[in-house]
Amino acid sequence: MASALESTTHSLSKLGIDGGFANSATNLLKNLPLLSSEQIELAKMLMEMGQSHLFEQWAEPGVDVEEKKAFFDQVARLNSSYPGGLKSYIKTARELLADSKNGKNPFDGFTPSVPTGESLIFGDDTFINYEQAGVKEAKNAAFVLVAGGLGERLGYNGIKLALPAETTTGTCFLQHYIECILALQDASCQLTEGECKEIPFAIMTSDDTHSRTLELLESNSYFGMKPSQVKLLKQEKVACLDDNDARLALDPKNKYRIQTKPHGHGDVHSLLYSSGLLKTWHDTGVRWILFFQDTNALLFKGIPASLGVSATKQLHVNSLAVPRKAKEAIGGITKLTHADGRSVVINVEYNQLDPLLRATGHPDGDVNCETGYSPFPGNINQLILELGPYLEELKKTGGAIKEFVNPKYKDSTKTAFKSSTRLECMMQDYPKTLPPSARVGFTAMDTWLAYSPVKNNPEDAAKVPKGNPYHSATSGEMAIYRANSLILRKAGVQVGEPVQEVFNGQEVEVWPRITWKPKWGLIFSDIKKKVGKSCSVSQKSTLVIKGRKVFLEDLHLDGTLIVDAVDEAEVKVEGSVQNKGWTIEGVDYKDTSVLEEIRIRGFKIKKIEQLEKNFNEPGKFSLKP
Ligand code: UGB
């Protein structure tokens, strides 16, 4: 042991002094006896990788002992959570920072064009067939929710998964997602005559969201899902970088800590792989992995059909897409063809699409075409991957995703940064490493059906160019009512015309507040079976359906109606329901006397009068007011 320490001391001191870092090397050397052999190896690696500045301010031996140990604990974590370790992180960072300094275009040699994919029209025969195929296949699916982001753009103090998706029922995003997955699980089981399987559900969290996500699940009995069905995978942050040599940044508040920042949603691939979850799922017959984001309540309306497309076309990668407005903050799905003949269908992120187009003969960049939309379908970051080929690919890459770096330089010499930067990666960049033989496609559908994220705070949302979506809590909630109203209309219900209103400076359409539990209406053919031809719902109405077997026969609603029934109760709703109902009142987002989750949407629901019926026993019932 003594001789090992001597030789390490020798090699460290050589590294330090040869590198011209006498002070920091001496500091480290003096503290060596404090370190375990693993920690000494890490110290050696840091010195070899030009990181001796990390020890420059270290105190004399015997001082700050616990902090020094904690420093190496952190280094060990940063080292083990990154594929290839810190050495590889620093090496990649140097390459990417050099490319960035030299202004290298990441798409050099590639020409963008509009790809072809499956475009679906809600409610037509093709859509209905794909939905059926998707539900059948769902028993072989697993869901992965990326929820490690703090939502800085939204500025909400809680975790986004705990936010109500809509305030008529107050159902939060996580509850809604779990209920959708459970409804899909039941429907798949019924359609495949008892071949029932639990659909696994993994959630990627981060230090910013982990404990609050767990707490949300535990305090709500996992919203009806078995706790064993849910797996939480925590992503680690990555080290920040201070300069073009990829010198790791120290935390400004603690000289014994490296500053860290999120690495991006791309971490999900390496975590799924390294945790062994993918292999477990593969061994239990899972075939499809569906990835999704934290605040898109409409998403599951598009999932059955898209899964049907994946299964029918045997796609290795299928991205869900919606029409995209030019400059909208969603990536564009693009076919990139290289001068050497290679081509790939991939998301080009919203900040890269415009420069790429300008550099390849489109002087106007990211603009709308004659349809009023960008010709490139908008990526909503819902990916469906076929597990077999995915696992094979990850065996080669370990789940490492092509990274990028986005330093904000102090000036045009590009030698210093305004603040520390870090490497980032995105989950939709997974296809970048796939061979040309991989079947990569997309499924496009209407925005009103499948996409209404909650990402922007009220102030920023109000500044969104006219005609572009707000992506705020206001628009996210109103989009749910619009989608449900349009679906019922398509099923034959007369639904009142929306009115225009302004909340938090955003002009939105206010449709009747119609909500239902996913088990009531998961796919269109089910909804059609539950809705008679002569129903009507006026604009001022609120309709909440919580039972599985609730049938609207001849309902004329002008007010608020809530029907809650256990699964074994079959309820026919008919006749005319008229009451003062629930109204919507504006609130200002600056009014701190109002709860944050309410004021960020700019309105609250005032419950004046309603008809509420509960059916707690099995049997056949009729609700005739
Ligand atoms: N997320 C993590 O889990 N970990 C992280 O480190 C970071 C995020 P944002 P973004 O559909 O609207 C994406 O910040 O990245 C989770 C696509 O890149 O909401 O700006 C986070 O919790 C873009 O192409 O979005 O943009 C959240 O659930 C477009 O599709 C998710 O990752 C856009 O989303 C997304 O994070 C969109």
Side-chain angles (χ1 to χ4, degrees):
M1 185 64 206
S3 69
L5 189 62
E6 264 162 34
S7 100
T8 308
T9 309
H10 179 70
S11 60
L12 275 175
S13 87
K14 228 177 135 259
L15 270 169
I17 290 158
D18 289 354
F21 305 113
N23 240 351
S24 33
T26 317
N27 278 348
L28 174 60
L29 287 174
K30 282 194 284 192
N31 282 287
L32 269 196
L34 180 73
L35 308 183
S36 67
S37 51
E38 287 85 21
Q39 290 172 332
I40 290 176
E41 282 311 305
L42 289 172
K44 250 166 124 178
M45 178 271 294
L46 288 174
M47 296 299 279
E48 277 166 14
M49 294 307 290
Q51 305 295 335
S52 62
H53 65 284
L54 295 172
F55 306 102
E56 228 157 65
Q57 302 171 55
W58 272 40
E60 289 298 306
V63 181
D64 298 339
V65 171
E66 289 312 311
E67 284 296 325
K68 289 170 185 167
K69 284 187 184 161
F71 170 85
F72 272 101
D73 289 345
Q74 186 200 19
V75 171
R77 258 196 326 276
L78 290 171
N79 193 48
S80 64
S81 60
Y82 186 82
L86 263 178
K87 204 169 172 173
S88 158
Y89 181 77
I90 295 164
K91 211 170 138 268
T92 309
R94 283 192 185 132
E95 286 163 17
L96 290 174
L97 284 163
D99 287 351
S100 168
K101 185 171 184 224
N102 298 331
K104 190 176 167 200
N105 173 359
F107 299 106
D108 219 12
F110 283 100
T111 312
S113 60
V114 180
T116 47
E118 189 71 24
S119 283
L120 301 182
I121 298 171
F122 174 76
D124 73 4
D125 288 347
T126 311
F127 186 88
I128 289 173
N129 290 338
Y130 276 135
E131 278 201 321
Q132 301 272 357
V135 170
K136 236 185 210 167
E137 204 58 37
K139 65 176 190 307
N140 300 321
F143 282 85
V144 179
L145 167 59
V146 288
L150 198 51
E152 277 161 300
R153 277 192 274 161
L154 183 62
Y156 172 58
N157 279 311
I159 51 165
K160 292 199 277 176
L161 286 178
L163 258 187
E166 39 80 13
T167 48
T168 293
T169 66
T171 307
C172 72
F173 281 103
L174 187 54
Q175 174 173 7
H176 174 65
Y177 292 147
I178 288 183
E179 289 178 350
C180 286
I181 295 170
L182 290 175
L184 208 47
Q185 178 178 301
D186 284 354
S188 193
C189 168
Q190 274 168 26
L191 218 67
T192 50
E193 281 147 17
E195 230 193 280
C196 301
K197 281 191 198 162
E198 274 176 15
I199 297 181
F201 180 34
I203 308 175
M204 181 171 81
T205 57
S206 67
D207 276 327
D208 295 327
T209 62
H210 186 82
S211 54
R212 286 179 287 176
T213 307
L214 191 59
E215 147 94 27
L216 182 63
L217 284 165
E218 286 181 343
S219 58
N220 289 285
S221 310
Y222 283 71
F223 298 110
M225 199 171 245
K226 285 190 193 152
S228 58
Q229 213 172 332
V230 186
K231 288 272 176 299
L232 261 53
L233 300 172
K234 186 159 77 72
Q235 67 176 140
E236 294 295 335
K237 292 183 179 171
V238 287
C240 291
L241 308 157
D242 256 345
D243 57 24
N244 285 330
D245 287 332
R247 276 156 46 107
L248 303 183
L250 280 172
D251 186 330
K253 292 193 204 112
N254 184 345
K255 62 184 178 186
Y256 297 108
R257 222 57 99 243
I258 294 169
Q259 194 185 16
T260 59
K261 284 187 182 167
H263 189 219
H265 34 70
D267 276 348
V268 72
H269 302 292
S270 61
L271 270 176
L272 283 172
Y273 184 70
S274 63
S275 64
L277 206 51
L278 284 186
K279 183 162 183 320
T280 312
W281 286 350
H282 188 256
D283 294 347
T284 53
V286 171
R287 184 167 172 214
W288 307 103
I289 316 281
L290 292 93
F291 294 85
F292 65 110
Q293 307 195 143
D294 51 16
T295 59
N296 183 12
L298 296 186
L299 183 70
F300 276 80
K301 296 187 189 300
I303 279 182
S306 329
L307 181 55
V309 171
S310 272
T312 311
K313 305 202 150 188
Q314 313 246 314
L315 293 178
H316 295 169
V317 179
N318 183 10
S319 301
L320 245 83
V322 296
R324 174 181 182 277
K325 284 279 183 186
K327 304 190 175 61
E328 190 179 337
I330 64 176
I333 297 183
T334 310
K335 180 170 180 182
L336 294 176
T337 309
H338 198 268
D340 64 14
R342 276 177 291 148
S343 73
V344 60
V345 175
I346 192 89
N347 172 69
V348 175
E349 201 57 344
Y350 41 93
N351 55 347
Q352 293 178 321
L353 190 59
D354 187 79
L356 170 65
L357 289 167
R358 285 177 198 275
T360 51
H362 308 269
D364 297 332
D366 180 15
V367 285
N368 292 325
C369 62
E370 62 287 351
T371 59
Y373 288 93
S374 156
F376 297 93
N379 163 49
I380 62 170
N381 245 12
Q382 154 75 53
L383 305 177
I384 307 179
L385 304 187
E386 185 173 357
L387 178 52
Y390 177 48
L391 193 54
E392 282 314 304
E393 179 66 16
L394 262 50
K395 279 182 192 159
K396 289 184 235 153
T397 62
I401 294 299
K402 274 204 182 308
E403 293 161 302
F404 61 94
V405 69
N406 194 10
K408 308 277 181 289
Y409 297 107
K410 269 196 180 143
D411 57 41
S412 59
T413 62
K414 294 189 176 178
T415 43
F417 307 158
K418 282 187 187 154
S419 59
S420 67
T421 188
R422 84 289 197 183
L423 300 190
E424 295 177 72
C425 61
M426 299 189 292
M427 79 172 166
Q428 66 270 35
D429 277 347
Y430 163 71
K432 278 192 174 162
T433 55
L434 290 181
S437 56
R439 286 189 294 276
V440 182
F442 69 87
T443 303
M445 52 189 80
D446 282 321
T447 308
W448 68 260
L449 181 69
Y451 188 56
S452 63
V454 176
K455 299 200 182 215
N456 289 328
N457 61 58
E459 219 162 330
D460 290 345
K463 288 186 211 143
V464 163
K466 207 170 163 44
N468 275 23
Y470 299 116
H471 295 175
S472 65
T474 316
S475 61
E477 174 158 356
M478 289 301 167
I480 297 173
Y481 306 138
R482 180 180 53 188
N484 289 342
S485 295
L486 290 174
I487 291 170
L488 286 196
R489 257 194 191 172
K490 182 85 183 165
V493 178
Q494 274 182 38
V495 177
E497 280 297 312
V499 296
Q500 296 287 127
E501 292 210 40
V502 176
F503 301 111
N504 280 347
Q506 303 154 54
E507 191 173 319
V508 286
E509 283 183 356
V510 181
W511 289 77
R513 273 68 65 207
I514 300 174
T515 70
W516 58 73
K517 288 276 180 199
K519 65 182 173 186
W520 181 77
L522 185 68
I523 55 173
F524 187 53
S525 48
D526 267 0
I527 294 170
K528 276 212 302 196
K529 281 186 215 143
K530 291 177 181 170
V531 172
K533 282 281 169 274
S534 57
C535 296
S536 68
V537 179
S538 70
Q539 187 279 332
K540 71 163 239 208
S541 295
T542 297
L543 172 63
V544 178
I545 307 175
K546 292 185 174 170
R548 184 190 296 274
K549 292 186 201 146
V550 174
F551 295 86
L552 309 182
E553 291 286 323
D554 189 13
L555 169 71
H556 298 282
L557 177 62
D558 186 34
T560 294
L561 171 65
I562 302 161
V563 190
D564 194 348
V566 293
D567 285 357
E568 303 75 26
E570 196 177 309
V571 184
K572 247 188 218 175
V573 186
E574 43 199 337
S576 162
V577 177
Q578 222 167 1
N579 55 44
K580 293 200 182 102
W582 295 358
T583 57
I584 295 186
E585 266 183 13
V587 293
D588 189 340
Y589 71 90
K590 294 192 206 96
D591 181 354
T592 48
S593 69
V594 180
L595 274 179
E596 193 184 9
E597 42 272 47
I598 298 297
R599 70 184 141 90
I600 57 170
R601 53 198 81 219
F603 59 84
K604 64 179 177 200
I605 302 218
K606 197 164 167 207
K607 301 179 176 178
I608 302 170
E609 193 185 4
Q610 69 277 331
L611 175 65
E612 182 165 6
K613 288 279 179 194
N614 296 309
F615 300 88
N616 301 322
E617 303 293 331
K620 288 196 171 194
F621 305 91
S622 161
L623 196 169
K624 253 191 209 163

